Amino acid sequence: MRHTNRASRWRSAAVLAAGLALVLSAAGCGSEPAAGGPHAVTFAGSPANTPVDALEPLAIAHGVYSRHGIDMNFTHVRSLSEAAAAVVGGSAQFGLLGTAAVAPLIQQGECFKFLTANQKIYYRLVARPGYPLPNAGAPYPASARDLKGAKIGVVGLGGIQEIVIKRMLAAAGLTPQDVTVVAVGGPATAVPAFQAGQVDMYMATPPAEQLLGSSGFEVVADFLADPALPSYGFVQTFTGASCDFVEENPQVVADFCAATAAAHQFIRDPANGPAVVAELASSGGTDQATAEQIWKQYGAVWTDGAITPEIWESQRLVLPPGVELPDMAEVVDPACQQTIKSGVSS
């Protein structure tokens, strides 16, 4: 697979944590609650603001976390590797964890606890209008033959989108060398690149399709709708903490789990649709009508927060070569799962 820019190599968690410490500590690290007050914690989260990508800012704004005893400072990081480093280094008490970033660290001796599951994959692979798609309408994997020779835009190199492309190519009897993968960033930069013909296909994330308009693309693969696709239903990220923090702060972790479960309930409740749409319009820089379209298309991506055996086993999809999937019984916090199952009020 040819790249138009070189992916950064993995840096150790210790180095990343040291670099993040100044930023995150300035934002406010965790502390014990004062006289029955909420627990002040820092969460190393998604670079994106929209509820499709990160429900935490929405839940914070609506008091979901504070009602469950958590005063959460949401801090943006640039990658899942940085989030893992922040958790390991202690500059964030909780963070957004991805198995591709964390499993190698676990194999090296670090210890993490996965607490809740986040959203499912929500993008669609689209092609420019008029791009030849001789296998359009054919079932997967025959439809993936149309990828051959294409320049395909992804948010960033080396991530889940590129991994999925490799799986699609293999299923269609193609190789990574049959396509060129281009890092085009988020919709603000990706949409102009797509429209200018810098890429032939694009892993579209919201609000790209709304910006392009219904006549501005052709759907090649829908990862929300087609169970045959390799990442259908795949949960991209989890919330988590270090084993030391979980062991030393059981009440903080219990309150965080209850708050996060409530946040999932909040975003899944149709009654809260107007609040979610308003946040989408604000954080995504779109008008109300566009935000409503985005939520109608992507609102179902959020799980109830439980980490099921099926969700955990599917993580094998993204593991680097030579890295084993950690034993679910050892790394998924059972008390947090019980909290989710028992149900909490948002």
Side-chain angles (χ1 to χ4, degrees):
M1 186 175 291
R2 301 184 300 278
H3 290 156
T4 58
N5 63 329
R6 190 182 302 272
S8 298
R9 299 185 66 181
W10 174 267
R11 291 181 292 170
S12 70
V15 174
L16 282 170
L20 287 169
L22 292 176
V23 175
L24 294 180
S25 61
C29 291
S31 63
E32 289 300 310
H39 304 281
V41 301
T42 293
F43 184 90
S46 168
N49 278 315
T50 73
V52 175
D53 293 294
L55 63 78
E56 293 85 9
L58 175 70
I60 291 169
H62 287 270
V64 176
Y65 281 93
S66 61
R67 285 195 291 274
H68 291 271
I70 296 294
D71 177 12
M72 191 162 82
N73 174 59
F74 184 91
T75 304
H76 298 289
V77 293
R78 293 172 295 178
S79 68
L80 294 178
S81 297
E82 289 194 0
V87 168
V88 168
S91 50
Q93 290 68 53
F94 301 97
L96 195 68
L97 301 184
T99 49
V102 169
L105 292 178
I106 293 175
Q107 207 159 284
Q108 294 166 19
E110 297 291 351
C111 190
F112 293 85
K113 287 294 183 182
F114 288 74
L115 303 175
T116 64
N118 289 333
Q119 82 277 38
K120 296 176 285 187
I121 275 181
Y122 52 79
Y123 40 76
R124 298 203 287 185
L125 178 63
V126 300
R128 297 182 67 235
Y131 185 80
L133 299 171
N135 293 290
Y140 177 83
S143 58
R145 294 173 188 153
D146 290 339
L147 275 62
K148 185 173 183 179
K151 292 182 292 183
I152 305 175
V154 297
V155 172
L157 300 180
I160 178 62
Q161 293 186 346
E162 186 174 358
I163 291 170
V164 169
I165 289 170
K166 288 181 179 180
R167 294 295 182 101
M168 293 177 69
L169 292 170
L174 303 174
T175 70
Q177 288 68 44
D178 285 315
V179 301
T180 300
V181 177
V182 182
V184 292
T189 53
V191 168
F194 182 77
Q195 292 175 319
Q198 296 174 19
V199 291
D200 306 308
M201 298 182 184
Y202 163 50
M203 284 286 204
T205 57
E209 292 183 30
Q210 287 71 31
L211 294 174
L212 289 167
S214 59
S215 63
F217 62 90
E218 299 287 342
V219 176
V220 179
D222 188 337
F223 297 94
L224 270 176
D226 189 350
L229 290 167
S231 60
Y232 174 78
F234 180 80
V235 170
Q236 302 183 88
T237 57
F238 305 83
T239 66
S242 71
C243 294
D244 286 344
F245 185 83
V246 171
E247 182 178 344
E248 295 167 7
N249 301 274
Q251 189 58 55
V252 181
V253 174
D255 290 346
F256 173 84
C257 288
T260 304
H264 281 257
Q265 286 190 10
F266 181 92
I267 204 166
R268 286 158 57 92
D269 186 347
N272 296 322
V276 178
V277 168
E279 179 63 24
L280 275 169
S282 174
S283 59
T286 67
D287 57 33
Q288 186 81 4
T290 300
E292 289 175 355
Q293 292 174 17
I294 294 170
W295 192 238
K296 182 177 180 181
Q297 182 172 344
Y298 296 106
V301 302
W302 283 98
T303 69
D304 64 0
I307 304 175
T308 65
E310 293 76 18
I311 286 174
W312 190 251
E313 281 299 312
S314 71
Q315 296 300 306
R316 296 184 188 278
L317 174 73
V318 297
L319 294 178
V323 174
E324 295 294 326
L325 182 68
D327 186 345
M328 180 177 174
E330 294 181 2
V331 299
V332 174
D333 185 70
C336 198
Q337 301 313 297
Q338 186 56 45
T339 296
I340 296 168
K341 290 177 183 178
S342 64
V344 292
S345 172
S346 62

